[in-house]
Amino acid sequence: MTEKKTFLQDAGINTRLSHAGPKPADYHGFVNPPVVHASTVLFPNARAMETREQKYTYGTRGTPTTDALCEAIDELEGSAGTILVPSGLAAISVPFLAFLSSGDHALIVDSVYTPTRLFCETMLKRMGISIDYYDPMIGSGIEQLIKPNTKLVHTEAPGSNTFEMQDIGAISTVAHRHGCVVTMDNTWATPLFFKPLDHGVDISIHAATKYPAGHSDILMGTVSANAAHWQQLHDTRIQMGICGQADDSYQVLRGLRTMGIRLERHQQSALALAEWLEGREEVARVLHPALPSFPGHDLWKRDFTGSSGIFSIVLAAESPDRFRAKAHAFLDALSIFGLGYSWGGFESLAVHVNLSDRRICKAPTEGPVLRLQIGLEDVADIKADIERGFAAASAV
Ligand SMILES: *Cc1c(COP(=O)(O)O)cnc(C)c1O
């Protein structure tokens, strides 16, 4: 291990984010790695070409730019290896394809990111893989759902849109006893607030589109494996011809440098707003794991070191036939919040959440669920915007 790596191991998170990845001395002292646009890599002679005995052999298999990002992520995740894929969704579908075969069974958390469920219900089912969805709060009770052919347990905590927590350690222990691979979509927390591999997870998944990229302009996913699962993940990536792009990799590495301070701000603002929203009569419930009132808060407190900038509110509504009208009135009155999908960028976003795909974690009954991504704007201005939303919703 180099001197630099040794000092980084014990350093604070912002120090590590600032220095993770390649050393400037490797690139003539330039602070950032070069953006290498490449398909062909030349070999010095026929023998080297035949044996492929050099570090880089073809663009799909990695470049100094993609390696720089993968190295930085390995340092943050504590993983044996990381692959880059073209989107967060691909960071879920690729490991599923790596570890599941026809005739296998997989357990998927019911509060899962909706497109993950779509992948399971379409492509995985077509391949002869059966799926069951489980309650996020199941803990070690997941043992009862494991069948002889169960090969993979997929977790996501907090859950998408409704933020249910999971006992990742307990689930991993039981899953491993039965020989299952444990995958986790850790997009919400990033490796700053939760390190899946330290809690028994084998494969840590991130939509780098969100906080790592941070500016609503990049699509990328990262998949990081522990030593036991790295080879299979790596081989799948090669077999499928999936690779990260040069400019996007560079931008995500750039995003990582400021992710710590951005997240600190997202966390503070979101928590301040969540606490304020809890006291409002227009709000039936605030779904934010860092609030003591939230079911699953104890798990968050035990395992996570912070909370990010996205949570939901359940707007109080008298009857279900008003849900849509109230939600739309609220959203249409907003001017700082944009109405758009995704999150993790610098700007606030709001969306009326559709939970109709849920089988176990049913939608709240008190009113429509509105997901708020709290951006880097000033809290007072965001509050004023939400007040405009409340006024419009109350008039419905
Ligand atoms: C956004 C998101 C993804 C997918 O990321 P894309 O890059 O948009 O495909 C996956 N998981 C979670 C939890 C997400 O929020």
Side-chain angles (χ1 to χ4, degrees), residues 376-388:
L376 302 176
E377 303 96 336
D378 294 298
V379 169
D381 297 327
I382 300 175
K383 254 188 203 174
D385 211 33
I386 294 175
E387 293 272 16
R388 285 188 280 274

Side-chain angles (χ1 to χ4, degrees), residues 3-4 8-10 58 64 91 104 127 130 132 154 164 167 174 176 216 228 247 249 253 292 301 318 358 362:
E3 221 172 284
K4 180 196 149 193
L8 276 179
Q9 261 179 354
D10 303 320
Y58 193 61
D104 287 349
M127 291 172 59
S130 60
D132 278 310
H154 181 65
E164 292 88 346
D167 190 336
V174 171
H176 287 152
S216 307
D247 293 308
S249 301
L253 185 64
K301 206 169 161 184
E318 305 74 32
R358 295 287 174 88
K362 300 285 189 203

Side-chain angles (χ1 to χ4, degrees), residues 214-228:
H215 294 74
S216 307
D217 54 358
I218 305 282
L219 289 162
M220 186 182 279
T222 68
V223 193
S224 303
N226 60 14

